[in-house]
Amino acid sequence: MLDTLIKNALAIPMTDAGDVIDNCSIGVEGGKIVYIGHETPEAREVIDAGGRIVMPGLINAHAHTAMCIMRGYADDYPLKSWLYDKVFPVEARLDERAIVAGATLGMAEMLRTGTVSFSDMYFCQPAVAKAAEKIGMKANLCNAVIALGDGYVFENDRAVRETAELLSKYGASGSIRADVSIHAEYTSPPAVWRRVHEWAKEYGVITHIHLSETLSEHEEAKTRHGMSAARAFEANGIFDTPVLAAHGVWLEEDDMAVLANNGVSVAHCPVSNMKLGSGSADTAAMIRAGINVCLGTDGACSNNSLDLFEEIKLAALVAKAEALDPTALPAYEALKMATVNGARAQGRADETGRIEIGLDADLIMIDSNSPHLRPIYDPVAAVVYSAHGSDVCMTMVRGRVLYRDGEWLTLDIEKAVRDVEEYAVPIVLNR
Amino acid sequence: MLDTLIKNALAIPMTDAGDVIDNCSIGVEGGKIVYIGHETPEAREVIDAGGRIVMPGLINAHAHTAMCIMRGYADDYPLKSWLYDKVFPVEARLDERAIVAGATLGMAEMLRTGTVSFSDMYFCQPAVAKAAEKIGMKANLCNAVIALGDGYVFENDRAVRETAELLSKYGASGSIRADVSIHAEYTSPPAVWRRVHEWAKEYGVITHIHLSETLSEHEEAKTRHGMSAARAFEANGIFDTPVLAAHGVWLEEDDMAVLANNGVSVAHCPVSNMKLGSGSADTAAMIRAGINVCLGTDGACSNNSLDLFEEIKLAALVAKAEALDPTALPAYEALKMATVNGARAQGRADETGRIEIGLDADLIMIDSNSPHLRPIYDPVAAVVYSAHGSDVCMTMVRGRVLYRDGEWLTLDIEKAVRDVEEYAVPIVLNR
């Protein structure tokens, strides 16, 4: 007997077939999808979708989840002032408890808006890993190495110690995974990049970086290295192992070829890039170049939401507006970014991102019976252009329902909010 | 005794003071705001906001509301094919019943997402007016005059007959108002513009137009008239009375000066402009020029949502991305577009768009206690950058609650959906 059967679903499997399956049953056993069809095999738990849309859970490929403690703390500031006067001083004051509180609230928001797995770059990740494990979400976690100043000693860096801990505890497989991270080209020298890369080789993990987010950063790299950041990373062998590069707003054609040739994934973060005035990444050119483009929310301090549905719609809109062409980045391609492509960027292509037998049952249900989604001529268009994260009515990870109809089943939402507001916010405000 | 008291609100009045009022009570009598303060005067009905945000209801300054019957019907199509192969043939088949069904579903979505008043351009508006009256929403309605082809006779035009009916029934004041409309520069000759303008003068109503939405349209106008569309309208006296111009994506600096000098309002529709690949309007330049910029959703066939919160956030994001400057269009300015500026564009500046004594009680409550809006450092930023229409938990027009906590109090939502799906959709699909 199956553990769970979702029946009567309008399924968007996101498989190569690109089809939609009406009146679909999805059977789950041991956390995996074991049945897809029109029958209704017996199961211990039956979830009647009532004709609602069921699709793979979303993957947030670039987040600083704990930053939701700073949601709305520093809006409409010039970028340098945002970073140096607002964000960095707060981050210097944060402790593990505040970060876990923020990460927990962020995970709650992600589950509520249909995200099942996220790639996160922040501090105190061993503690965040425990919280994610308890909640049941998937996560690729890293603490970015930043090596600025003459006094930098790799071995003494907190990020290095945390990375070593993550690598030894979680490694490259499982629901929680360690990534390694070079924060960005401009925050460490190539010698440090190569040390981080040693880990990537040894453990077979992904290297998560920021790349060409702002114009000044992109131009300054050329002065520093005599070549673009992408080329400098390549020249130092960093792209010999899988890399996930966030932003890529100012990548040139040449850089895109480098990324494509090396199988580097780019996490497009349209809301954050626009909100911080960084610009709009040219995803059409990236896709033409053969890059795997996925989506990220970035932190809630530059968004201020962790709702991937916003990124999906905006990715499609930005591509169309930039090309002055409404056929640019059609709905299905935008949705692939948040599912199939995100899974690939996380090293989870054979595990999640599609509804397919043998993959984990990482599924979401969208309340497509809501008036603002009706009528539905095309379920994919409904998801991309009309739905919001608030329309997600169920989020399942590895066959386990983590959110349903306003209830979080593996976390105490009131405590999560209280922990942030009573413990973390006073630290942010330095009170 | 007051009719209604909203107490314990975090009020964003959107008045010139630009402040936020904590623990605010708002008293309503005869549909008007009669009290704002910290006391709790007696009232027949008390609504405890429980610390939630209360602000003026939003104003959708450019809509084709009934088009939600075509939501998701024609996405990712080239613009001409979208219009000529998909939209126009459907519109030729639509009857009054289908249009009222679509307008009703659209009004339901607008109320649910915090819109209290809308400026609508479509067909069968006398019937839509009746539906809006019954539901209790405010609307400025027009049927656009399109005069193409040699056989055009003004008096025989359905739009002309409907406009005359609206003008005589509703005129320039009240909850439901008649606007007149020249569809666009490219769809009628100046002689017809001047006839429409005669009405505007006679009845003192607003002229609602489309203006410089696409590059080709903008350029072709210059060939046709030897000057831009904005200048051509001005030369024909059309801007002598109040005008609401939708889009303005390709306005040049010169055009902006013309609009500013004539007090023309521009309804910025960022989602639709991006989705149709029309481009991104330069609202920063418009505001610098002194234009009153408000927001519109356009139709749900090019959006595909009537949620103004999307437009508010996107207006801020587009301005920042275009200027590569995160300080461009700060949150409060974006919110003004959807409230104060929208009211002015509708000729309702002394009636709605602010929480002020003497104005209509057109108010919305936002469930700012939701986890994805927490913590709140700045309520305005929370509304602009974190909230969605789904966070609206109450919409009140003229003191009457029309939507609250999932319930529409003046319309049958199930019937609205059914009317669209059972009656209008088969017409759209020509079945």
Side-chain angles (χ1 to χ4, degrees), chain A residues 10 49-53 366-388 391, chain B residues 64-75 98 100-110 112-113 299-307 408 412-426 428-429:
Chain A
L10 177 54
R52 290 176 177 80
I53 291 171
I366 293 170
D367 188 7
S368 43
N369 290 342
S370 280
H372 63 283
L373 295 176
R374 308 280 285 270
I376 294 187
Y377 294 96
D378 172 353
V380 173
V383 170
V384 171
Y385 297 124
S386 301
H388 290 124
D391 296 311
Chain B
H64 310 287
T65 307
M67 286 184 89
C68 65
I69 61 179
M70 283 181 260
R71 186 201 311 277
Y73 170 65
D75 296 306
V100 170
T104 301
L105 184 60
M107 283 189 269
E109 183 182 356
M110 287 197 270
R112 200 262 161 275
T113 53
C301 194
S302 61
N303 187 315
N304 304 345
S305 161
L306 302 181
D307 179 352
W408 286 261
D412 179 341
I413 190 66
E414 279 165 27
K415 181 176 183 302
V417 173
R418 214 165 49 232
D419 284 351
V420 164
E421 298 199 335
E422 292 176 10
Y423 187 80
V425 167
V428 172
L429 295 173

Side-chain angles (χ1 to χ4, degrees), chain A residues 224-246:
Chain A
R224 257 188 301 270
H225 302 282
M227 64 185 90
S228 71
R231 283 211 175 279
F233 280 128
E234 185 192 39
N236 281 278
I238 310 306
F239 291 169
D240 296 349
T241 50
V243 170
L244 168 57

Side-chain angles (χ1 to χ4, degrees), chain A residues 69 71 75-77 274 277 303-304 307 310 313 320 324 326 331 372 374 377 381 385-386 388 390 421, chain B residues 69 71 75-77 274 277 303-304 307 310 313 320 324 326 331 372 374 377 381 385-386 388 390 421:
Chain A
I69 61 178
R71 187 202 308 279
D75 297 306
D76 308 329
Y77 275 81
M274 294 174 83
N303 187 314
N304 303 345
D307 179 351
E310 277 188 51
K313 182 167 182 175
K320 294 170 197 304
L324 298 184
H372 63 283
R374 308 280 285 270
Y377 294 96
Y385 297 124
S386 301
H388 290 124
S390 52
E421 298 198 336
Chain B
I69 61 179
R71 186 201 311 277
D75 296 306
D76 307 329
Y77 275 82
M274 295 175 83
N303 187 315
N304 304 345
D307 179 352
E310 277 188 51
K313 182 167 183 176
K320 294 171 198 305
L324 298 184
H372 64 282
R374 310 279 286 268
Y377 294 97
Y385 296 124
S386 301
H388 290 126
S390 52
E421 298 199 335

